[in-house]
Amino acid sequence: MEWTIQELAARAGITSRTLRHYDRVGLLVPSRVGANGYRYYNPTAVARLQRILLMRRLGMGLPAIAEVLAEEVDALDGLRAHIAALEEERDRIERQVRSVRHTLEALQAGVEPRMDVMLAGFNDLYKDEVISRWGEHAFQVSNDWWHGKSLDQQRAWKQDTEDLVAAWVAAVKAGDSPTSEHAQSLAARHVQWLSQIPGTPTAEGDRERSIEMVNGIGDMFVDDPRFAAMYDDEEGARFVRDALHTYAHTRM
């Protein structure tokens, strides 16, 4: 079975122009090109497009997606990883549905909805990850700290975070080295930012666990596409990782 480029674009909800661009950059080549110049795509090509669209949805850039696909030894393992990510997203959405339903039913009954239930699923995107890496206590304390802030305080914190990310991206674009004084000052700023979050080893002054945490966060920025996208692409994520590793090894 084959689809033409127009059929595939329509079914995938993208444009033929996008598919032609994917072909030009070597991300998704047609299964064959007919004598009339039409591009045709078989199930293998559609499966590859499926994965590309999933990674795009996670915020990955095309160069990063190309690298993932090029380095992948077994496409089945890649599909399994995507299924796991989608199941995690499904679980989060189901928690959101339950929390909104709770709010609706409480208001319909004329009673006050529980504030903690109302936000379930909206604030715990990385709950399992935090617990697996740093324990239930770290998640609970930091979660309580976040929801203890006023809306203005939350906005100010998010702005500080965005400013830090922007500074990292600017350093990469300026051609800085991860070991440069500027990059190391950003790493120090990043560690200081972490130390403001209760429940983290940096906040508790645990030097050994803080070093482990900073190294782990640096690795996570590269390994997890969700975080890599924060720094524009994998090059940016690697820069931040290397700078944090250097800081952890030499200055903590």
Side-chain angles (χ1 to χ4, degrees), residues 101-113:
R101 182 174 290 119
H102 163 79
T103 304
L104 174 63
E105 292 174 351
L107 293 175
Q108 287 176 330
V111 299
E112 188 175 86

PDB file of all heavy atoms in Angstrom, residues 101-113:
ATOM      1  N   ARG A 101     -13.550  17.556  36.639  1.00  0.00           N
ATOM      2  CA  ARG A 101     -14.853  16.974  36.950  1.00  0.00           C
ATOM      3  C   ARG A 101     -15.196  17.199  38.429  1.00  0.00           C
ATOM      4  O   ARG A 101     -16.351  17.480  38.780  1.00  0.00           O
ATOM      5  CB  ARG A 101     -14.846  15.477  36.622  1.00  0.00           C
ATOM      6  CG  ARG A 101     -16.203  14.804  36.886  1.00  0.00           C
ATOM      7  CD  ARG A 101     -16.229  13.368  36.415  1.00  0.00           C
ATOM      8  NE  ARG A 101     -16.215  13.286  34.959  1.00  0.00           N
ATOM      9  CZ  ARG A 101     -15.267  12.694  34.243  1.00  0.00           C
ATOM     10  NH1 ARG A 101     -14.249  12.123  34.846  1.00  0.00           N
ATOM     11  NH2 ARG A 101     -15.337  12.658  32.933  1.00  0.00           N
ATOM     12  N   HIS A 102     -14.186  17.073  39.295  1.00  0.00           N
ATOM     13  CA  HIS A 102     -14.402  17.323  40.722  1.00  0.00           C
ATOM     14  C   HIS A 102     -14.878  18.754  40.940  1.00  0.00           C
ATOM     15  O   HIS A 102     -15.830  19.003  41.691  1.00  0.00           O
ATOM     16  CB  HIS A 102     -13.104  17.086  41.502  1.00  0.00           C
ATOM     17  CG  HIS A 102     -13.112  17.689  42.878  1.00  0.00           C
ATOM     18  ND1 HIS A 102     -13.752  17.101  43.941  1.00  0.00           N
ATOM     19  CD2 HIS A 102     -12.573  18.856  43.343  1.00  0.00           C
ATOM     20  CE1 HIS A 102     -13.609  17.865  45.021  1.00  0.00           C
ATOM     21  NE2 HIS A 102     -12.894  18.931  44.681  1.00  0.00           N
ATOM     22  N   THR A 103     -14.229  19.708  40.267  1.00  0.00           N
ATOM     23  CA  THR A 103     -14.615  21.114  40.406  1.00  0.00           C
ATOM     24  C   THR A 103     -16.046  21.331  39.939  1.00  0.00           C
ATOM     25  O   THR A 103     -16.850  21.996  40.614  1.00  0.00           O
ATOM     26  CB  THR A 103     -13.665  22.017  39.594  1.00  0.00           C
ATOM     27  OG1 THR A 103     -12.319  21.789  40.014  1.00  0.00           O
ATOM     28  CG2 THR A 103     -14.008  23.479  39.800  1.00  0.00           C
ATOM     29  N   LEU A 104     -16.383  20.778  38.773  1.00  0.00           N
ATOM     30  CA  LEU A 104     -17.730  20.927  38.219  1.00  0.00           C
ATOM     31  C   LEU A 104     -18.777  20.348  39.158  1.00  0.00           C
ATOM     32  O   LEU A 104     -19.793  21.005  39.469  1.00  0.00           O
ATOM     33  CB  LEU A 104     -17.801  20.239  36.856  1.00  0.00           C
ATOM     34  CG  LEU A 104     -19.190  20.185  36.194  1.00  0.00           C
ATOM     35  CD1 LEU A 104     -19.699  21.586  35.907  1.00  0.00           C
ATOM     36  CD2 LEU A 104     -19.135  19.358  34.915  1.00  0.00           C
ATOM     37  N   GLU A 105     -18.548  19.129  39.624  1.00  0.00           N
ATOM     38  CA  GLU A 105     -19.537  18.457  40.478  1.00  0.00           C
ATOM     39  C   GLU A 105     -19.695  19.179  41.804  1.00  0.00           C
ATOM     40  O   GLU A 105     -20.813  19.282  42.337  1.00  0.00           O
ATOM     41  CB  GLU A 105     -19.130  17.005  40.692  1.00  0.00           C
ATOM     42  CG  GLU A 105     -19.225  16.166  39.408  1.00  0.00           C
ATOM     43  CD  GLU A 105     -18.686  14.754  39.594  1.00  0.00           C
ATOM     44  OE1 GLU A 105     -18.075  14.489  40.666  1.00  0.00           O
ATOM     45  OE2 GLU A 105     -18.852  13.935  38.670  1.00  0.00           O
ATOM     46  N   ALA A 106     -18.591  19.700  42.348  1.00  0.00           N
ATOM     47  CA  ALA A 106     -18.672  20.420  43.615  1.00  0.00           C
ATOM     48  C   ALA A 106     -19.476  21.705  43.453  1.00  0.00           C
ATOM     49  O   ALA A 106     -20.342  22.031  44.280  1.00  0.00           O
ATOM     50  CB  ALA A 106     -17.266  20.740  44.124  1.00  0.00           C
ATOM     51  N   LEU A 107     -19.219  22.434  42.375  1.00  0.00           N
ATOM     52  CA  LEU A 107     -19.947  23.685  42.145  1.00  0.00           C
ATOM     53  C   LEU A 107     -21.422  23.423  41.874  1.00  0.00           C
ATOM     54  O   LEU A 107     -22.295  24.183  42.320  1.00  0.00           O
ATOM     55  CB  LEU A 107     -19.315  24.442  40.977  1.00  0.00           C
ATOM     56  CG  LEU A 107     -17.893  24.967  41.221  1.00  0.00           C
ATOM     57  CD1 LEU A 107     -17.330  25.593  39.948  1.00  0.00           C
ATOM     58  CD2 LEU A 107     -17.874  25.974  42.366  1.00  0.00           C
ATOM     59  N   GLN A 108     -21.701  22.343  41.142  1.00  0.00           N
ATOM     60  CA  GLN A 108     -23.101  21.993  40.874  1.00  0.00           C
ATOM     61  C   GLN A 108     -23.835  21.634  42.159  1.00  0.00           C
ATOM     62  O   GLN A 108     -25.026  21.898  42.307  1.00  0.00           O
ATOM     63  CB  GLN A 108     -23.175  20.822  39.893  1.00  0.00           C
ATOM     64  CG  GLN A 108     -22.817  21.200  38.460  1.00  0.00           C
ATOM     65  CD  GLN A 108     -22.810  19.999  37.537  1.00  0.00           C
ATOM     66  OE1 GLN A 108     -22.537  18.876  37.950  1.00  0.00           O
ATOM     67  NE2 GLN A 108     -23.112  20.239  36.261  1.00  0.00           N
ATOM     68  N   ALA A 109     -23.093  21.045  43.121  1.00  0.00           N
ATOM     69  CA  ALA A 109     -23.698  20.643  44.388  1.00  0.00           C
ATOM     70  C   ALA A 109     -23.728  21.792  45.390  1.00  0.00           C
ATOM     71  O   ALA A 109     -24.262  21.640  46.496  1.00  0.00           O
ATOM     72  CB  ALA A 109     -22.928  19.466  44.974  1.00  0.00           C
ATOM     73  N   GLY A 110     -23.150  22.929  45.017  1.00  0.00           N
ATOM     74  CA  GLY A 110     -23.162  24.078  45.907  1.00  0.00           C
ATOM     75  C   GLY A 110     -22.168  23.982  47.048  1.00  0.00           C
ATOM     76  O   GLY A 110     -22.340  24.639  48.084  1.00  0.00           O
ATOM     77  N   VAL A 111     -21.118  23.170  46.864  1.00  0.00           N
ATOM     78  CA  VAL A 111     -20.102  23.044  47.911  1.00  0.00           C
ATOM     79  C   VAL A 111     -18.768  23.544  47.357  1.00  0.00           C
ATOM     80  O   VAL A 111     -18.584  23.679  46.147  1.00  0.00           O
ATOM     81  CB  VAL A 111     -19.949  21.587  48.399  1.00  0.00           C
ATOM     82  CG1 VAL A 111     -21.259  21.098  48.985  1.00  0.00           C
ATOM     83  CG2 VAL A 111     -19.504  20.673  47.261  1.00  0.00           C
ATOM     84  N   GLU A 112     -17.857  23.813  48.275  1.00  0.00           N
ATOM     85  CA  GLU A 112     -16.549  24.334  47.866  1.00  0.00           C
ATOM     86  C   GLU A 112     -15.647  23.186  47.426  1.00  0.00           C
ATOM     87  O   GLU A 112     -15.419  22.242  48.169  1.00  0.00           O
ATOM     88  CB  GLU A 112     -15.911  25.071  49.042  1.00  0.00           C
ATOM     89  CG  GLU A 112     -14.646  25.825  48.679  1.00  0.00           C
ATOM     90  CD  GLU A 112     -14.128  26.644  49.842  1.00  0.00           C
ATOM     91  OE1 GLU A 112     -13.379  26.067  50.662  1.00  0.00           O
ATOM     92  OE2 GLU A 112     -14.468  27.839  49.945  1.00  0.00           O
ATOM     93  N   PRO A 113     -15.104  23.251  46.225  1.00  0.00           N
ATOM     94  CA  PRO A 113     -14.206  22.177  45.758  1.00  0.00           C
ATOM     95  C   PRO A 113     -12.887  22.212  46.517  1.00  0.00           C
ATOM     96  O   PRO A 113     -12.463  23.264  47.004  1.00  0.00           O
ATOM     97  CB  PRO A 113     -14.002  22.501  44.271  1.00  0.00           C
ATOM     98  CG  PRO A 113     -14.276  23.956  44.160  1.00  0.00           C
ATOM     99  CD  PRO A 113     -15.305  24.284  45.190  1.00  0.00           C
TER     100      PRO A 113
END
